[in-house]
């Protein structure tokens, strides 16, 4: 047992299975094709941590080695010191008095106002006295009741056009223009000439007020009879005839076309 402990303390003198010197690059090359190449050669004095980088890249080295001009960088440059020697006295900076120059400049604390201003407090927090959360009884007042909106109404309605094969599409106008030299239509109910748009059926005419009144109450005319009336507009606001068949335009045709298109669109929602 004692002999075995003595052998363990001494250890084995052989490392990596040999006692010869370890051949390292660049003193020795590998015994293969890579080591036979002429281009792979090493230098013993080159390697990591062989350059004094901190000495040649310092600020002191660059100032001493780089050529500079003491008078400036351009013709007629100033030769005065860029940063003058300043001394602080009673909160003010002044130049060196030994040169005979005394120029005072205010310091950082010269503009500070030491007087404390009173702050006016708000009567309410964040200047808002309204309730953050509305009571449940109040919130129901601003909400629409059931049945307020018509959810069964057809949406995305479009203007209708009348077309033919090979022909132009024509707008289906909701108001027909009655082009006559002298309009002699008289309302069948109030016996007065209609003002603006009115309704006609065959040889009878109804103004808008009488048509809406009889449609609501239906005492004189039945509803089926009133539905046969169509809306008509006199041509006096569009052009003049002056006793002839000629037409003297009073409005721009583009504006008239836009108005007809707009009326046809709103007729899809409002009758």
């Amino acid at each position: 047992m004692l002999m075995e402990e003595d052998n363990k303390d001494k250890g084995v003198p052989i490392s990596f299975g040999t006692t010869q010197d370890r051949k390292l690059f660049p003193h020795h090359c590998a015994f293969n094709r890579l080591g036979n190449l002429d281009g792979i050669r090493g230098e013993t004095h080159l390697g990591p941590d062989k350059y004094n980088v901190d000495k040649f890249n310092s600020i002191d080295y660059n100032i001493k080695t780089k050529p500079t001009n003491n008078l400036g960088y351009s013709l007629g440059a100033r030769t005065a010191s860029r940063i003058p020697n300043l001394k602080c006295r009673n909160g003010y900076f002044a130049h060196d008095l030994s040169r005979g120059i005394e120029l005072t400049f205010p310091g950082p604390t010269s503009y500070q106002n030491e007087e404390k201003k009173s702050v006016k407090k708000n009567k309410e927090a964040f200047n808002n006295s309204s309730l953050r959360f509305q009571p449940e009884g109040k919130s129901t007042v601003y909400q629409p009741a059931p049945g307020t909106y018509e959810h069964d109404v057809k949406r995305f309605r479009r203007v209708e056009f009348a077309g033919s094969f090979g022909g132009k599409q024509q707008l289906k106008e909701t108001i027909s223009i009655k082009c006559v030299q002298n309009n002699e239509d008289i309302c069948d109910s109030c016996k007065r000439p209609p003002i603006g748009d009115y309704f006609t059926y065959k040889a009878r005419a109804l103004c808008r007020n009488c048509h809406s009144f009889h449609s609501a109450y239906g005492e004189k005319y039945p509803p089926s009879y009133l539905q046969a009336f169509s809306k008509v507009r006199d041509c006096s606001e569009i052009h003049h005839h002056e006793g002839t068949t000629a037409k003297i335009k009073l409005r721009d045709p583009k504006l008239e076309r836009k108005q007809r298109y707009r009326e046809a669109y709103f007729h899809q929602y409002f009758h």
Side-chain angles (χ1 to χ4, degrees):
M1 294 294 292
L2 295 175
M3 294 296 292
E4 292 179 359
E5 292 179 357
D6 294 339
N7 294 332
K8 289 181 180 181
D9 296 336
K10 292 180 180 180
V12 181
I14 301 174
S15 300
F16 302 101
T18 180
T19 57
Q20 296 180 359
D21 296 333
R22 188 178 182 184
K23 296 180 180 181
L24 300 175
F25 183 85
H27 298 283
H28 299 88
C29 297
F31 298 99
N32 51 18
R33 184 174 180 81
L34 181 63
N36 295 332
L37 295 177
D38 296 333
I40 300 180
R41 295 290 183 268
E43 301 292 338
T44 57
H45 64 281
L46 300 179
D49 200 18
K50 295 292 184 179
Y51 303 95
N52 298 327
V53 182
D54 56 337
K55 295 182 179 180
F56 294 97
N57 288 340
S58 61
I59 298 177
D60 187 25
Y61 177 82
N62 293 332
I63 293 174
K64 292 180 180 178
T65 54
K66 289 186 179 180
T68 56
N69 188 2
N70 296 328
L71 299 180
Y73 295 96
S74 62
L75 183 63
R78 296 180 59 192
T79 59
S81 60
R82 183 180 176 187
I83 302 176
N85 187 15
L86 301 178
K87 294 182 179 180
C88 183
R89 179 183 296 176
N90 297 329
Y92 286 85
F93 288 99
H95 283 278
D96 192 357
L97 300 178
S98 61
R99 301 181 182 179
I101 302 173
E102 186 177 358
L103 297 175
T104 57
F105 302 96
T109 59
S110 301
Y111 299 100
Q112 186 175 358
N113 189 7
E114 296 181 358
E115 298 180 359
K116 295 183 179 180
K117 295 182 180 180
S118 59
V119 180
K120 186 178 180 180
K121 295 183 179 180
N122 300 328
K123 294 182 180 180
E124 301 290 342
F126 302 103
N127 282 334
N128 191 359
S129 59
S130 60
L131 298 176
R132 185 178 180 184
F133 301 102
Q134 295 292 339
E136 295 182 0
K138 230 182 226 187
S139 61
T140 56
V141 178
Y142 304 101
Q143 295 178 0
T148 304
Y149 302 102
E150 298 180 4
H151 59 277
D152 295 333
V153 177
K154 183 181 178 181
R155 299 184 299 174
F156 305 108
R157 305 177 187 181
R158 297 182 180 180
V159 179
E160 297 180 357
F161 289 87
S164 60
F165 292 102
K168 294 183 179 179
Q169 292 185 351
Q170 295 182 357
L171 177 66
K172 289 185 178 181
E173 299 180 358
T174 57
I175 303 175
S176 58
I177 305 300
K178 188 174 183 178
C179 187
V180 292
Q181 296 181 5
N182 296 319
N183 191 6
E184 298 178 355
D185 291 339
I186 296 176
C187 180
D188 190 41
S189 179
C190 62
K191 306 301 180 181
R192 295 178 183 177
I195 299 174
D197 300 341
Y198 60 98
F199 295 87
T200 60
Y201 174 64
K202 294 182 179 180
R204 294 190 175 184
L206 287 175
C207 61
R208 287 181 297 178
N209 295 332
C210 294
H211 187 271
S212 60
F213 174 79
H214 293 298
S215 298
Y217 297 98
E219 296 178 357
K220 187 175 181 180
Y221 303 103
S224 60
Y225 178 73
L226 294 175
Q227 290 179 359
F229 281 79
S230 60
K231 187 175 285 188
V232 179
R233 179 177 298 167
D234 189 13
C235 66
S236 59
E237 298 181 358
I238 303 174
H239 51 256
H240 280 325
H241 293 283
E242 295 184 354
T244 62
T245 57
K247 299 178 182 179
I248 302 175
K249 296 180 180 179
L250 301 178
R251 298 180 61 183
D252 188 4
K254 292 183 179 179
L255 298 178
E256 185 67 23
R257 196 180 304 111
K258 287 182 179 180
Q259 182 180 356
R260 293 181 183 179
Y261 187 88
R262 195 181 301 112
E263 290 174 349
Y265 174 75
F266 283 112
H267 182 73
Q268 302 293 331
Y269 295 91
F270 308 100
H271 297 285

